[in-house]
Amino acid sequence: MTTIFYARVSTIDQTLDHQVTQARKAGFNIDEVISDHGVSGVSTKLADRPEGRRLFDKLRKGDTLVVRWVDRLGRNYQDVTDTIREFMRRGVIIKTVINGMTFDGATKDPMQEAVRDALIAFMAATAQAQAEATKEAQKAGIEAARENKPQVYRGRKPSYSREQFTLVQDMLAGGAAGTSEIARATKLTRQTVLRIRNDMTEAEAALARWEL
């Protein structure tokens, strides 16, 4: 019986360490860590990712797959629900660090199955909705930057990089990380994280204005 922790992370190296540390603090005994870096959870299915494919090859009946939240598996409703159900059919138990959710195919009670499947669907839909909201914020920020481009004044140069901005968005979307935790993971100040959180459109626009 093996417990595998899977992470989909940004290009900032500390992110993987953060996710693994968070899982171990939650009481998970991890035998192996598998991670994909810089891969979209929206456009790339888990089975099509370099390391995600390994999960399908390695996981067997009785194994446990641990993820920070279901959005690490993907941010596409159909892909996430199909993936979780496929692993359950194999006898794999899926657990999340955030909210301590457990999904498995052991139950045969129709009511319990209905509740479990409804929860899976809700979490997968939430992951996709968060991704779409982030995409819209990015689009609005780019459009705002284009409108302001003729102006000479670009404002103060952002104190965060594109990678740090993306990581802040990602951690905020997860819903469990606080401002201080995000600041430590991104190496930004709490004030910078709060500015990004309070106005993501302007934060994205600032990056675009400075072509970062």
Side-chain angles (χ1 to χ4, degrees):
M1 307 298 180
T2 302
T3 297
I4 296 178
F5 181 84
Y6 174 75
R8 177 176 58 80
V9 300
S10 77
T11 56
I12 297 179
D13 295 336
Q14 291 78 10
T15 314
L16 176 58
D17 293 337
H18 166 77
Q19 291 189 39
V20 174
T21 298
Q22 187 182 32
R24 286 185 168 136
K25 283 183 177 180
F28 291 100
N29 295 316
I30 299 169
D31 297 311
E32 183 177 356
V33 175
I34 294 177
S35 62
D36 279 298
H37 293 253
V39 179
S40 171
V42 177
S43 59
T44 308
K45 293 181 178 181
L46 180 65
D48 294 335
R49 302 174 205 163
E51 297 302 305
R53 178 67 254 173
R54 291 180 60 205
L55 292 177
F56 290 87
D57 296 333
K58 293 178 70 69
L59 288 169
R60 298 289 185 270
K61 183 176 181 179
D63 290 343
T64 299
L65 171 63
V66 179
V67 290
R68 182 173 178 271
W69 201 60
V70 296
D71 65 346
R72 298 303 85 194
L73 296 175
R75 286 186 165 177
N76 175 278
Y77 174 84
Q78 197 64 55
D79 181 40
V80 173
T81 53
D82 287 348
T83 295
I84 293 177
R85 286 167 182 157
E86 169 62 21
F87 285 143
M88 287 195 302
R89 281 193 293 270
R90 296 185 180 194
V92 176
I93 300 171
I94 301 97
K95 295 187 176 184
T96 68
V97 177
I98 295 176
N99 297 329
M101 298 294 182
T102 298
F103 303 108
D104 64 54
T107 180
K108 300 302 179 184
D109 180 85
M111 186 60 70
Q112 291 181 355
E113 287 184 341
V115 172
R116 179 201 64 198
D117 292 346
L119 184 56
I120 292 172
F122 172 76
M123 294 177 73
T126 300
Q128 179 168 331
Q130 289 170 340
E132 291 173 352
T134 298
K135 185 177 180 180
E136 286 301 313
Q138 292 173 338
K139 181 180 178 181
I142 292 172
E143 290 176 351
R146 286 174 177 170
E147 292 176 0
N148 295 329
K149 197 164 185 178
Q151 300 176 6
V152 176
Y153 180 67
R154 294 185 290 180
R156 179 183 297 180
K157 186 175 181 179
S159 58
Y160 49 90
S161 66
R162 171 69 62 178
E163 290 78 10
Q164 287 170 313
F165 172 71
T166 300
L167 180 55
V168 171
Q169 285 185 311
D170 190 47
M171 294 185 73
L172 287 172
T179 302
S180 297
E181 187 177 358
I182 295 174
R184 286 193 297 271
T186 59
K187 295 186 176 181
L188 296 173
T189 65
R190 290 184 74 258
Q191 290 76 14
T192 300
V193 173
L194 287 170
R195 282 200 301 272
I196 294 174
R197 185 195 69 182
N198 293 336
D199 195 342
M200 285 195 182
T201 298
E202 173 52 32
E204 170 73 25
L207 287 171
R209 285 195 296 270
W210 284 88
E211 298 180 354
L212 297 176

